[in-house]
Amino acid sequence: MNAGEVKALLESSIRDSEVIAEGEGCNFQVVIVSSEFEGLSTVKRQQLVYSHLQDAIASGAIHAVTMKTYTPEQADKL
């Protein structure tokens, strides 16, 4: 799996999302901005992202993911 595939997978799975994915092999860093994160704790946001990556993690295509998750309002303040 490459960074482009991770980006496409998350953008198609998480409503109203913009994803920046970097990495190679099976280690990736992602930044995700989505209105779907509104009202969710950091842990709940991570669980949501991992739920969409579960098959790739189980197959070994993804070994490690480092993520930052933001609502659109939070991203505008960066």
Side-chain angles (χ1 to χ4, degrees), residues 1 6 9-10 30 48-58 62 65 67:
M1 185 164 254
V6 172
L9 173 64
L10 291 174
V30 294
L48 175 69
V49 175
Y50 278 125
S51 73
H52 297 295
L53 297 175
Q54 186 174 7
D55 290 342
I57 292 169
I62 295 176
V65 178
M67 71 180 82

Side-chain angles (χ1 to χ4, degrees), residues 26-76:
C26 53
N27 297 310
F28 297 95
Q29 302 81 42
V30 294
V31 176
I32 307 152
V33 178
S34 174
S35 59
E36 197 166 334
F37 295 143
E38 291 179 21
L40 297 180
S41 68
T42 301
V43 171
K44 292 291 185 189
R45 293 176 185 193
Q46 291 175 348
Q47 289 173 337
L48 175 69
V49 175
Y50 278 125
S51 73
H52 297 295
L53 297 175
Q54 186 174 7
D55 290 342
I57 292 169
S59 73
I62 295 176
H63 174 72
V65 178
T66 303
M67 71 180 82
K68 294 181 181 179
T69 57
Y70 302 103
T71 64
E73 183 178 315
Q74 290 171 324
D76 287 343

